[in-house]
Amino acid sequence: MDQTISDFDIHLFHEGTLYNAHHTFGAHLEKQKKKVTGTRFTVWAPHAQAVSVTGSFTNWETGKYEMTRVNQEGIWTCTIDRDLTGEMYKYAITTASGDLVLKSDPYAFHSELRPQTASVVYDLSGYKWGDQLYRQRVRKRRPIYERPLSIYELHLNSWKQKEDGSYFTYREYADELIPYVKEHGFTHIELLPLTEHPLDASWGYQGTGYFSPTSRFGTPHDLMYLIDRCHQEDIGVLMDWVPGHFCKDSHGLYMFDGEPLYEYDSFNDRENHEWGTANFNLAKGEVRSFLISNALYWMHFYRIDGLRVDAVANIIYWANSEPETANPYATEFLQELNKAVFKENPRFLMMAEDSTDWPGVTKPVHEGGLGFNYKWNMGWMNDVLDYMEYHPFERRHHHHKLTFSLVYAYSENYILPLSHDEVVHGKRSLLHKMPGEYWEKFAQWRLLLSYLITHPGKKLLFMGGEFAQFDEWKYVQGLDWFLKDYDSHHQADHFSKELMDFYTNHKALHEFDHDPQGFEWIDADNAEQSIYSFIRKGKRKSDTLMVICNFTNVTYDHFELGAPFEGKWEEVFSSDLQQFGGTNLLNQSATTVEKPLHNRKQSLTVKIPPFGVTIWKPAKK
């Protein structure tokens, strides 16, 4: 038995609790006195008759470096007395039926550039981080629940491309992306899956190399540089992560040793027909060790600040079950995952993309929940986008679509997502969803983003949404940056910057995001005019904001509404400013009168612009 693999680690791996499995499995350089003396390979393939390591260093001849079977459960290992840094390799596996298959390393740290599929021996050590001040600030800050959280979701392939259509490198993206994100006021970026994947059109959601950042944009150290630079500019980095299913390409995890291994044995449980992928077998301890280790790997080696966990509904319910039946192995896995993550870093973000009504997604595990700290509010997203697509004078018949979200707004810790899924596959861009003439589309786009910012919950916007891209997301090419040369889109871009700055600097919009005391309706029932008015509160009375949203193109010069308390109020934000492309129907200030309205002792009279949001704050004395 190879002495570099301990019996205890082997026990933990099979049990499902080896949370640093990437230290044991994969390709590792062995060193003595800082000098590399060999390269050790370790793989799990219990159904194999034999396994060897092949690669560029053997001219892809198989059988030259045979691996030794460590235990009956199928761990194989060997050490090659050479420094193989940068060499390409695969495992040559002889299956139980005698077939020979070549497989990429599930634990590889680097991969060959697609369409090639070999793993690459890579030493992750050696990068010198410069984000120490950022990490200190994060530890000292108040919990994220009380602070602004605004996420810019993006797909590196199609955010921006070079003139010849090629991609920027991770290092080049640092220069292109970071100033842009900072200028627009987002607190975090969220990258669509970075794990290695063979098909560009999958956007990274059908992965093969879970420990290997895609080589489309460079090396692992190049990615570390991008994240480091983000941190130095106080930008958090999140990543989409897909622990539910994986790509079925022949070089990957699928039927890894000739039989189901990482996937379920049963065809019905294994096959994910919607996406043409295979579902991870979350009942197996070895698969749990693989996935939980992977989450911690991204945290430790790349200093990722959080994971958006994809397709949680697909995880917690058995595939193809009618009616939907909960998978107890999956819920146990998610609970163990979140416990392991938060034990390592209590401030890490674990965000569930969950379309179900599963209770307690963001409740701690010790209270019976799944243990995430955030959940995407898919109900809010679906309702608000459905509502916006109605003709403005039909909206009065669907008024409840915008009020219903407040019935459950505090049942979980929510993120409000206007994500990539809503602007692709014929769904049209946010701007193009809006009905009416050109000016009306832009006014309603400003209205939509203002409603996003003022509604309880943290914020997420997909790239292009910040300057009102007209066409839906085209993932094969860059965003339509030329649109910024047109006044309407230039004004839209300016609006989104000002809106995000307003959100960040007004505590009432984030201090009580997850506490009912932070929100109060003024009038939730004005369906006939499609006007919604509400209050957002901070810890101090002086931080109170009054928000009025008009979802029709009717202008009101004298609109009365009940005020939270008496005195002088000032308009501190309007989506209708001329510099944003609006009609410039503005208020300076208004003082309450002793006229009861909306169950309040005093009221105000204000102007409300068409398709406009106007926000008020108590005047300073």
Side-chain angles (χ1 to χ4, degrees):
M1 177 177 174
D2 192 316
Q3 295 303 309
T4 58
I5 307 174
S6 73
D7 291 337
F8 186 60
D9 281 354
I10 290 174
H11 166 75
L12 294 179
F13 174 68
H14 295 306
E15 183 184 64
T17 56
L18 183 62
Y19 296 157
N20 59 357
H22 47 286
H23 292 312
T24 297
F25 293 87
H28 294 273
L29 300 178
E30 295 191 334
K31 301 178 182 179
Q32 289 184 3
K33 297 181 180 180
K34 298 183 179 181
K35 182 179 180 181
V36 176
T37 59
T39 308
R40 176 173 54 85
F41 297 87
T42 307
V43 68
W44 175 54
H47 304 110
Q49 289 189 46
V51 184
S52 66
V53 182
T54 184
S56 54
F57 48 93
T58 70
N59 291 321
W60 295 102
E61 175 187 344
T62 62
K64 185 173 182 179
Y65 293 110
E66 293 285 352
M67 303 183 77
T68 301
R69 188 172 187 134
V70 172
N71 63 357
Q72 290 182 342
E73 290 79 15
I75 295 176
W76 301 75
T77 191
C78 76
T79 298
I80 300 174
D81 296 330
R82 292 170 56 187
D83 180 353
L84 296 177
T85 301
E87 297 283 356
M88 294 174 287
Y89 71 99
K90 285 187 177 182
Y91 295 115
I93 299 174
T94 304
T95 69
S97 62
D99 294 329
L100 183 67
V101 294
L102 294 180
K103 291 287 189 175
S104 301
D105 188 350
Y107 289 88
F109 295 147
H110 193 27
S111 299
E112 194 178 8
L113 180 63
R114 59 93 177 86
Q116 305 306 316
T117 59
S119 301
V120 179
V121 178
Y122 194 89
D123 186 359
L124 289 175
S125 65
Y127 181 79
K128 295 183 179 180
W129 290 83
D131 65 346
Q132 289 77 15
L133 288 178
Y134 168 81
R135 289 158 67 83
Q136 291 173 14
R137 285 196 297 267
V138 168
R139 285 194 291 269
K140 293 178 180 178
R141 284 172 176 162
R142 289 176 296 136
I144 192 65
Y145 309 111
E146 302 175 14
R147 294 191 292 108
L149 174 59
S150 54
I151 302 167
Y152 185 58
E153 184 191 38
L154 68 129
H155 177 239
L156 284 178
N157 306 43
S158 57
W159 181 71
K160 184 181 285 189
Q161 295 178 0
K162 297 180 180 179
E163 291 185 4
D164 62 0
S166 62
Y167 302 147
F168 290 93
T169 66
Y170 290 119
R171 290 178 181 267
E172 290 170 334
Y173 272 120
D175 295 329
E176 294 285 330
L177 178 62
I178 292 171
Y180 185 83
V181 172
K182 197 170 180 66
E183 180 185 4
H184 284 77
F186 292 96
T187 64
H188 292 71
I189 60 171
E190 181 182 309
L191 303 170
L192 269 59
L194 290 173
T195 49
E196 193 57 82
H197 54 283
L199 182 65
D200 290 351
S202 78
W203 317 332
Y205 287 98
Q206 297 184 11
T208 50
Y210 272 67
F211 290 83
S212 176
T214 178
S215 55
R216 286 166 173 80
F217 316 113
T219 68
H221 281 164
D222 293 335
L223 175 58
M224 292 176 189
Y225 174 84
L226 170 60
I227 296 170
D228 191 11
R229 286 277 306 277
C230 285
H231 286 174
Q232 291 175 38
E233 294 297 332
D234 206 24
I235 299 169
V237 181
L238 314 172
M239 185 183 81
D240 272 13
W241 189 59
V242 190
H245 62 108
F246 57 88
C247 178
K248 290 169 62 175
D249 282 37
S250 60
H251 67 280
L253 298 174
Y254 189 66
M255 299 292 181
F256 187 76
D257 56 5
E259 298 182 34
L261 189 63
Y262 287 88
E263 60 274 68
Y264 288 104
D265 294 337
S266 162
F267 178 85
N268 200 50
D269 298 332
R270 176 173 69 240
E271 295 300 314
N272 192 313
H273 299 297
E274 182 177 0
W275 297 312
T277 53
N279 295 314
F280 275 110
N281 185 344
L282 299 175
K284 283 186 178 178
E286 297 88 352
V287 173
R288 294 190 190 197
S289 289
F290 174 81
L291 289 171
I292 297 176
S293 293
N294 187 244
L296 299 181
Y297 164 83
W298 287 100
M299 178 197 298
H300 291 151
F301 281 93
Y302 293 94
R303 302 192 178 182
I304 290 284
D305 298 284
L307 297 173
R308 178 264 198 186
V309 181
D310 180 62
V312 168
N314 179 73
I315 298 173
I316 60 180
Y317 290 105
W318 284 108
N320 313 311
S321 61
E322 291 292 343
E324 286 186 330
T325 306
N327 178 348
Y329 303 114
T331 52
E332 289 172 8
F333 160 72
L334 291 174
Q335 290 175 325
E336 289 302 315
L337 165 70
N338 286 317
K339 284 196 298 184
V341 164
F342 291 123
K343 182 179 180 181
E344 290 290 316
N345 182 357
R347 293 183 177 271
F348 202 70
L349 293 174
M350 289 294 286
M351 304 168 290
E353 188 253 334
D354 177 28
S355 57
T356 75
D357 58 358
W358 188 276
V361 172
T362 58
K363 183 183 286 187
V365 173
H366 66 267
E367 295 180 13
L370 291 183
F372 291 92
N373 51 9
Y374 276 100
K375 173 180 175 174
W376 277 24
N377 194 335
M378 310 295 279
W380 175 89
M381 177 272 296
N382 284 316
D383 283 346
V384 73
L385 292 182
D386 282 349
Y387 179 85
M388 295 302 297
E389 292 191 52
Y390 284 111
H391 186 280
F393 294 105
E394 289 294 316
R395 289 173 180 163
R396 65 181 184 271
H397 303 302
H398 306 277
H399 194 76
H400 66 282
K401 282 188 174 288
L402 294 199
T403 57
F404 180 63
S405 60
L406 271 303
V407 174
Y408 63 87
Y410 303 103
S411 61
E412 304 277 5
N413 298 329
Y414 281 118
I415 289 174
L416 308 179
L418 294 175
S419 75
H420 66 279
D421 278 328
E422 312 318 316
V423 294
V424 72
H425 296 323
K427 295 180 182 178
R428 298 174 296 168
S429 69
L430 294 180
L431 178 70
H432 202 183
K433 292 177 192 289
M434 305 297 110
E437 300 177 7
Y438 204 61
W439 78 267
E440 292 177 307
K441 287 182 179 293
F442 278 93
Q444 291 172 93
W445 170 85
R446 295 193 300 272
L447 171 59
L448 171 63
L449 263 60
S450 300
Y451 186 63
L452 164 74
I453 292 301
T454 55
H455 190 287
K458 306 308 183 184
K459 324 301 177 185
L460 180 142
L461 183 65
F462 184 58
M463 64 184 197
E466 75 280 8
F467 63 85
Q469 168 131 338
F470 195 84
D471 286 343
E472 69 174 22
W473 174 37
K474 303 179 287 288
Y475 56 84
V476 296
Q477 64 188 68
L479 295 175
D480 294 332
W481 296 104
F482 66 88
L483 289 175
K484 287 193 176 187
D485 295 334
Y486 294 87
D487 286 345
S488 295
H489 294 277
H490 179 75
Q491 292 165 339
D493 188 59
H494 176 55
F495 166 78
S496 69
K497 294 176 188 176
E498 293 295 316
L499 180 65
M500 202 58 67
D501 183 67
F502 183 85
Y503 164 68
T504 301
N505 290 300
H506 284 80
K507 294 179 179 180
L509 295 179
H510 45 78
E511 275 192 334
F512 287 130
D513 254 333
H514 312 302
D515 189 324
Q517 69 176 306
F519 179 92
E520 188 177 337
W521 284 110
I522 296 175
D523 186 2
D525 302 317
N526 189 351
E528 193 59 32
Q529 293 174 298
S530 297
I531 292 177
Y532 302 78
S533 52
F534 53 88
I535 303 163
R536 293 299 308 273
K537 303 175 185 177
K539 295 181 179 179
R540 299 185 304 178
K541 182 179 178 180
S542 59
D543 291 330
T544 301
L545 295 177
M546 183 168 57
V547 183
I548 310 165
C549 304
N550 176 15
F551 284 88
T552 72
N553 61 2
V554 177
T555 300
Y556 298 91
D557 290 317
H558 298 89
F559 186 88
E560 294 183 327
L561 77 162
F565 37 84
E566 65 180 4
K568 185 178 181 181
W569 289 73
E570 295 177 337
E571 185 180 56
V572 290
F573 190 87
S574 172
S575 66
D576 194 53
L577 284 175
Q578 187 174 10
Q579 60 184 295
F580 300 154
T583 66
N584 223 37
L585 183 70
L586 305 176
N587 299 268
Q588 294 299 318
S589 62
T591 302
T592 60
V593 295
E594 293 184 10
K595 179 180 179 180
L597 188 61
H598 299 136
N599 296 316
R600 300 176 190 280
K601 296 179 181 179
Q602 59 281 321
S603 55
L604 286 169
T605 300
V606 301
K607 300 174 185 177
I608 302 180
F611 295 129
V613 172
T614 175
I615 306 177
W616 297 74
K617 190 174 183 179
K620 291 183 179 180
K621 295 182 180 179

